[in-house]
Amino acid sequence: QQPVQSPQAVILREGEDAVINCSSSKALYSVHWYRQKHGEAPVFLMILLKGGEQKGHEKISASFNEKKQQSSLYLTASQLSYSGTYFCGTEISYSNSGYALNFGKGTSLLVTP
Amino acid sequence: DVKVTQSSRYLVKRTGEKVFLECVQDMDHENMFWYRQDPGLGLRLIYFSYDVKMKEKGDIPEGYSVSREKKERFSLILESASTNQTSMYLCASSLGGQGYEQYFGPGTRLTVT
């Protein structure tokens, strides 16, 4: 089951803030966030791990509520370069050795001048 | 920098043809993934591999098979292409285990006529 992202789309003016949410019906080990610009490959932003560890870009902030199985990505003082589609991915185990991501449908973000 | 390359950016095939999509990564990653991306549906996992010759079905494996004979190369095979397989195909790789970011290739836009 894909995690659910909200909102589906958001339009901001440069300098405004936005929050993108990701929720799962399953217990989570980690949540990943990626951004994809039009015509390009998704690019890694951040991983939030169970227990509080985070790995990723310094200018991006996010939270992970393990009990609620939710994560939120915070985009503050948005810049034009933030435009793109944001995907969250929840890590799932397929076997003793195989771990893969289950991605949400994405949130389209447009920052205007 | 990690580099993931895909054999073609654009591909046009006829219904019933056998199609090979190839992916190569240069960072000695254990995991490799094939996703399909369609508007409004996000990234859906087709297959992944966590070691040479090891593979796991993802969410939508029907109509596809994969091959991983060497660690750096992961191939997606459409045995008999159909029009509903027209899509963007993305390959990714990551280190083995949990909690590692995925690196994506540029994608192959496949059109089946």
Side-chain angles (χ1 to χ4, degrees), chain A residues 3-82:
Chain A
V4 177
Q5 287 186 234
S6 63
Q8 289 185 330
V10 59
I11 299 175
L12 298 174
R13 288 192 181 270
E14 211 171 355
E16 291 181 335
D17 302 337
V19 179
I20 300 173
N21 301 301
C22 176
S23 64
S24 173
S25 58
K26 297 185 178 182
L28 302 176
Y29 170 80
S30 70
V31 178
H32 299 220
W33 287 96
Y34 292 78
R35 177 172 62 211
Q36 184 179 31
K37 292 183 179 287
H38 183 69
E40 298 180 9
V43 173
F44 166 74
L45 294 176
M46 177 166 281
I47 292 176
L48 301 105
L49 299 163
K50 194 174 179 179
E53 185 182 353
Q54 296 186 3
K55 296 190 285 185
H57 293 263
E58 293 176 0
K59 294 187 178 181
I60 300 286
S61 65
S63 65
F64 180 21
N65 186 322
E66 295 169 32
K67 282 188 178 179
K68 292 186 176 180
Q69 296 160 191
Q70 294 176 343
S71 177
S72 296
L73 185 70
Y74 304 97
L75 302 167
T76 57
S78 60
Q79 303 172 17
L80 296 176
S81 62
Y82 288 8

